[in-house]
Amino acid sequence: MSFKISRRAFAASAALVPVACTTPRSATSLGTPMAAAEQTIVNPLIENRADAQIFRHDDGFYYMTGSVPEYDRLVLRRARTIAGLADAEERVLWRHQETGPMSGFLWAPELHLVDGRWTMYFAAGPSGGGEDVFRIRTYAVVCDSSDPMSGNWSVLGEFKGPWDSFNLDSTIFYHNGTRYFAWAQREPGIETNSNIYIAPMATPLTLAAAPARLSVPELDWEIRGFKVNEAQAILQRNGRLFMTYSASATDDRYVLGLLTADADANIIDPAAWTKSPQPVFQTSVATSVYGPGHNSFTVDENGHDMLVYHGRDYKEIEGDPLFNPDRHTRVQRLYYDANGVPEFGIPVGNGPLPDRYAAPDRASVFLAHQGQTLMAGSAPLPNTQFRAWPQQGGAIRLSPILLRDRHLVAQADGSVTIGVAQRAGADMFRRIAGPQDGTVRIESLAYPGMALARSGSGIALADLGSGNTVWTVD
Ligand code: AHR
């Protein structure tokens, strides 16, 4: 089941959450009700924008670009917050030309500051019709101003790759003081649509060394529909380089794969990289997101790593998926396991970003569920993610992302179930600031003074003042 969230309707209801509620009698000594975040991120963040790149520049702005359904122009928007990108002004930087090699599709732009100049890389093809339109090559345009939103953009030229063949989805990253180009390309003699390459850069459009071929689509989940590895994105954390890439056809079979290398390895040596045997991110029927992919990474306003990707709300596509406009830009938290490896989980689905609630003194104990049963303990990431739907007067309803039409319900016997409230208001709660920063208590509005509490390995209502009602929000 998929349902669209009206961003304006959501913003209106969230706005009803008073900045500071009147302090309820039960909360006087226990903090005050939590106000809704000034800028709540609601997925999809930006509709009809695929291949999204979002990054936070040192000017404090978030910049966002991506493919438009018409593939005829390069666009850019910026905002002070990730959520603000949703309604930010979008500027057209450059349009495809009337004729020639850049007069057709414009794909997957990325904005980079290269040698102090704003440079947007993108893939483009001619508009000659037939198969010629897929004569896709990589180009760059540059800005004549330090402000990419107001400057004038002009063609810098074409990327000089190792072969004159289909190439796209370029990005730039830095490692040990060297600037690298990473891109996808069809290599003569290898029967795939595209493979993943990296090489050090000499100039903004030339390489300083022969490329290293890091990945060829060969596993079953990489060759569904088309043999594709593309859209690589690099994250450097915990002494390693994590390179995600997208694989297979751009319909519901589109997935993220992962290559990992030690940060101190010779990353230009393909042997330094290990490919995850399974995809790390893929279609989720439970949360109704299909074909998630072409990701980038950013950091939210609190310093948390964020996964940026596109995905559709539905599975069945009429016609060529490439010309379906409904690959929407989505973002969600990126977590890490105990070994510092990214935990991608699943696409969280439409609506406000979900949270995780952990026991302050036992980071591996979460508010979680197994099926329709709530629990306190360790569980797969998706089973620990709960979405807070804002209600009138600062109330919230809490819904597991895996059970979208179910909510937490307080019962008269002190238990808390997952389901549909039989008693009006039994599924209404309020988050109250906890005793330490980043902690909350979740008070039942049906049973004031009672809050969600850890009770052994289960969850029950307990007196608001008791210690097992404090949760760390993550
Ligand atoms: O969205 C257009 C192209 O389709 C992108 O460059 C590629 O990543 C995807 O397969």
Side-chain angles (χ1 to χ4, degrees), residues 236-259:
Q236 305 188 49
R237 291 287 188 276
N238 308 323
R240 276 154 288 184
L241 278 77
F242 300 105
M243 182 186 289
T244 49
Y245 64 92
S246 295
S248 285
T250 54
D251 52 25
D252 65 305
R253 295 169 292 183
Y254 207 51
V255 297
L256 287 187
L258 180 68
L259 301 172

Side-chain angles (χ1 to χ4, degrees), residues 50-51 67 71 107-108 168-169 230-231 250 254 294 322 327:
D51 313 324
S67 297
Y71 297 138
W107 286 351
L168 70 168
D169 293 356
E230 63 185 12
T250 54
Y254 207 51
H294 201 118
L322 200 56
R327 292 179 293 172

Side-chain angles (χ1 to χ4, degrees), residues 389-420:
W389 291 101
Q391 308 296 312
Q392 301 276 346
I396 56 171
R397 295 169 81 188
L398 283 171
S399 175
I401 66 166
L402 290 173
L403 301 170
R404 296 182 61 83
D405 54 357
R406 294 287 184 273
H407 299 89
L408 271 57
V409 182
Q411 302 296 343
D413 65 359
S415 65
V416 184
T417 58
I418 298 176
V420 178

Side-chain angles (χ1 to χ4, degrees), residues 126-448:
S127 54
E131 278 308 302
D132 197 39
V133 299
F134 291 108
R135 192 186 179 285
I136 298 288
R137 300 294 187 272
T138 296
Y139 301 89
V141 289
V142 288
C143 184
D144 65 0
S145 163
S146 58
D147 179 1
M149 291 288 284
S150 62
N152 301 302
W153 289 80
S154 58
V155 175
L156 178 64
E158 179 182 353
F159 161 56
K160 302 294 181 286
W163 311 281
D164 182 19
S165 65
F166 178 82
N167 66 83
L168 70 168
D169 293 356
S170 59
T171 189
I172 287 177
F173 69 97
Y174 295 82
H175 178 251
N176 289 347
T178 298
R179 181 170 62 210
Y180 285 88
F181 207 61
W183 74 101
Q185 184 158 10
R186 182 184 182 89
E187 179 177 346
I190 298 179
E191 290 313 305
T192 61
N193 279 49
S194 55
N195 316 311
I196 303 291
Y197 300 88
I198 66 170
M201 296 174 75
T203 71
L205 286 173
T206 60
L207 304 176
R213 182 189 326 121
L214 299 191
S215 179
V216 174
E218 50 202 358
L219 302 177
D220 67 323
W221 52 270
E222 295 181 292
I223 59 175
R224 290 174 179 151
F226 294 99
K227 296 183 177 181
V228 166
N229 279 184
E230 63 185 12
Q232 58 296 321
I234 294 90
L235 181 67
Q236 305 188 49
R237 291 287 188 276
N238 308 323
R240 276 154 288 184
L241 278 77
F242 300 105
M243 182 186 289
T244 49
Y245 64 92
S246 295
S248 285
T250 54
D251 52 25
D252 65 305
R253 295 169 292 183
Y254 207 51
V255 297
L256 287 187
L258 180 68
L259 301 172
T260 303
D262 285 340
D264 55 11
N266 172 22
I267 64 169
I268 201 70
D269 175 359
W273 296 85
T274 303
K275 179 183 287 191
S276 296
Q278 296 301 328
V280 293
F281 201 62
Q282 58 193 310
T283 285
S284 165
V285 175
T287 56
S288 194
V289 178
Y290 297 87
H294 201 118
N295 78 287
S296 57
F297 297 105
T298 188
V299 180
D300 74 5
E301 298 83 352
N302 298 314
H304 297 127
D305 285 333
M306 300 293 281
L307 178 68
V308 182
Y309 61 97
H310 70 227
R312 295 185 181 89
D313 293 336
Y314 54 83
K315 176 179 179 178
E316 299 308 327
I317 297 167
E318 289 182 17
D320 184 337
L322 200 56
F323 303 113
N324 170 282
D326 292 334
R327 292 179 293 172
H328 304 318
T329 297
R330 300 168 186 273
V331 298
Q332 62 187 61
R333 280 289 303 280
L334 188 67
Y335 295 98
Y336 291 87
D337 68 16
N339 300 314
V341 175
E343 269 196 295
F344 291 85
I346 65 172
V348 294
N350 291 356
L353 281 190
D355 299 298
R356 303 175 83 190
Y357 299 92
D361 53 349
R362 288 178 292 158
S364 64
V365 172
F366 290 95
L367 171 66
H369 69 98
Q370 286 177 332
Q372 307 252 10
T373 303
L374 278 174
M375 56 172 280
S378 63
L381 172 55
N383 295 70
T384 68
Q385 294 177 289
F386 292 82
R387 178 167 282 123
W389 291 101
Q391 308 296 312
Q392 301 276 346
I396 56 171
R397 295 169 81 188
L398 283 171
S399 175
I401 66 166
L402 290 173
L403 301 170
R404 296 182 61 83
D405 54 357
R406 294 287 184 273
H407 299 89
L408 271 57
V409 182
Q411 302 296 343
D413 65 359
S415 65
V416 184
T417 58
I418 298 176
V420 178
Q422 301 305 311
R423 171 178 180 255
D427 56 358
M428 295 293 183
F429 293 86
R430 170 172 41 206
R431 282 188 293 209
I432 293 174
Q436 291 86 26
D437 281 351
T439 65
V440 296
R441 288 184 166 99
I442 304 171
E443 181 183 22
S444 163
L445 297 189
Y447 303 99

